[in-house]
Amino acid sequence: PAVHMATHVSAGEPGQYREARWMEDVGFRAVPVGPPRNEAVAKQCAREGCYTDDTLASLALAASLVEHGRIDANAAASSYGDFFRDATPFRGCPPTAAKVMQLVSEGVPIEETGLPPHFPFPGGSFANGAAMRIAPLAIAYRNADAEQLRNAVEAATISSHRHPEAVDFAVVQAMCVQNMLRHKGHPKEVDTGALLGELASRCTTEAMKSVISATASALAAANEADSDLAGDLAGDLAAVTALVALEKRPGSGMAFQIASVHMAPCVLWCAFRHLASPRRAIQVAIGIGGDTDTTAALVGAIVGALHGEGEWCALWAERLENGARGRDYALGLGEKLANLGPSIDEQGRGN
């Protein structure tokens, strides 16, 4: 999950961390988080063991899938709003996302909530929020083919993310998790080059195809050049910085990779450069800075699907909050998702 679980969390700057301390006003060990240049985020604080809005959205999707046995677009959209309305302590929520959930609750059709005039940007949101929540769907739809998986992804995100780049990234993330589940416990069997080629071919936008292909080339060159990856955060940072620079999107970049075309290369690099070492993959995802909870959540979903539970993540799980929708609730949903397998004729958009 997207969660700040350690006594030190990323300050939003590459390789920089701040120590958590007890803060009376929130009742948590906490630190101000960043990137500091993003005022809205800097005002919030990271609670030790407290998950963020990214995990909350994933839990909402998982709960809807478990309740209905498949993806139901309207039910999923309602579930997001229900979970966020009940969210305490504050976990963060972008104003545009909050507006979408409000519109859904007011009865605006979900086919309209993510587009103008309801959504402020032409074409809808190109942000990474569709991909950040999609892992539970990939588990439930682990046996779906590419077309069925895309249909299910579109249904899960239609209320909030209509931009083709956002949908492409969510499909890419779902395919990664799906593929890792098929290789669970056998990282050496994963053909990264072939997988990334398949991911690029399934994208509908040239920008997403381009950044995935560029990431594949960069990974191939790096893996051929060296095999000792320990402690090379500077190399990881340089690589993803170059990849993110390939596409320009307003309000997004290495300072905060909100755009899907910027988050995608960060996630794919961290996950597949360090595929054999899941802890390292997640640590690098935090270490490169920016939108660290999202990057780490997406990378964690990929390497977690491949490696499964074990000592590598046991301590992190122990320190996760365990309230009404905390650790045990999340693990319970995971068990139910693992036993869920919509039949092929149900693997579509839903009602």
Side-chain angles (χ1 to χ4, degrees):
V3 60
H4 300 292
M5 291 176 286
T7 55
H8 293 74
V9 301
S10 171
E13 300 289 348
Q16 295 183 10
Y17 297 86
R18 297 173 179 166
E19 185 174 359
R21 65 186 186 278
W22 181 261
M23 297 177 69
E24 293 290 346
D25 56 337
V26 296
F28 286 90
R29 284 175 56 82
V31 297
V33 297
R37 62 177 76 90
N38 185 320
E39 183 179 358
V41 178
K43 287 181 177 178
Q44 306 307 322
C45 63
R47 292 87 165 183
E48 184 178 29
C50 177
Y51 63 75
T52 70
D53 59 323
D54 294 18
T55 295
L56 190 65
S58 293
L59 290 176
L61 176 56
S64 180
L65 287 163
V66 168
E67 179 181 357
H68 295 275
R70 62 183 177 88
I71 186 62
D72 181 301
N74 281 294
S78 296
S79 186
Y80 302 137
D82 292 343
F83 271 61
F84 274 87
R85 276 191 296 273
D86 296 340
T88 54
F90 180 76
R91 303 186 187 282
C93 180
T96 51
K99 179 63 174 179
V100 164
M101 289 183 282
Q102 178 185 341
L103 292 169
V104 171
S105 71
E106 293 173 353
V108 177
I110 60 173
E111 294 82 6
E112 301 175 10
T113 52
L115 292 172
H118 302 293
F119 193 83
F121 303 109
S125 174
F126 59 53
N128 59 44
M132 80 177 186
R133 75 184 71 161
I134 210 66
L137 184 137
I139 298 172
Y141 282 74
R142 57 195 174 275
N143 297 319
D145 63 27
E147 181 179 1
Q148 292 159 352
L149 187 63
R150 176 174 280 273
N151 288 340
V153 167
E154 290 177 350
T157 60
I158 188 173
S159 65
S160 57
H161 290 79
R162 300 296 299 276
H163 196 286
E165 290 175 5
V167 177
D168 271 352
F169 184 29
V171 171
V172 165
Q173 176 69 11
M175 289 183 67
C176 283
V177 173
Q178 185 188 61
N179 189 277
M180 295 304 102
L181 288 171
R182 294 171 179 172
H183 292 93
K184 184 178 177 181
H186 302 282
K188 292 183 179 180
E189 293 181 0
V190 178
D191 186 336
T192 299
L195 174 58
L196 294 181
E198 174 70 8
L199 297 179
S201 73
R202 295 296 178 181
C203 293
T204 63
T205 61
E206 290 304 316
M208 191 60 70
K209 289 180 181 179
S210 177
V211 296
I212 293 175
S213 296
T215 303
S217 297
L219 281 167
N223 290 334
E224 183 177 350
D226 69 89
S227 58
D228 183 10
L229 310 179
D232 187 27
L233 179 59
D236 290 310
L237 178 59
V240 295
T241 298
L243 292 167
V244 167
L246 294 175
E247 296 286 341
K248 305 297 183 184
R249 295 294 180 275
S252 182
M254 278 303 295
F256 204 75
Q257 309 94 329
I258 189 64
S260 291
V261 292
H262 292 159
M263 181 57 75
C266 293
V267 170
L268 296 176
W269 175 275
C270 294
F272 292 104
R273 176 69 163 150
H274 303 281
L275 195 61
S277 179
R279 284 181 64 90
R280 178 62 182 163
I282 295 171
Q283 289 166 342
V284 170
I286 297 170
I288 62 174
D291 191 2
T292 54
D293 64 327
T294 301
T295 316
L298 291 164
V299 172
I302 295 171
V303 298
L306 178 62
H307 291 273
E309 60 184 341
E311 291 186 7
W312 70 273
C313 60
L315 182 59
W316 289 346
E318 287 177 8
R319 300 168 75 172
L320 182 62
E321 64 173 278
N322 201 24
R325 287 175 173 164
R327 181 188 63 236
D328 291 347
Y329 175 77
L331 291 173
L333 280 179
E335 292 284 349
K336 293 173 182 177
L337 284 172
N339 292 319
L340 189 65
S343 61
I344 294 297
D345 61 350
E346 291 178 328
Q347 289 176 333
R349 180 174 295 278
N351 298 318

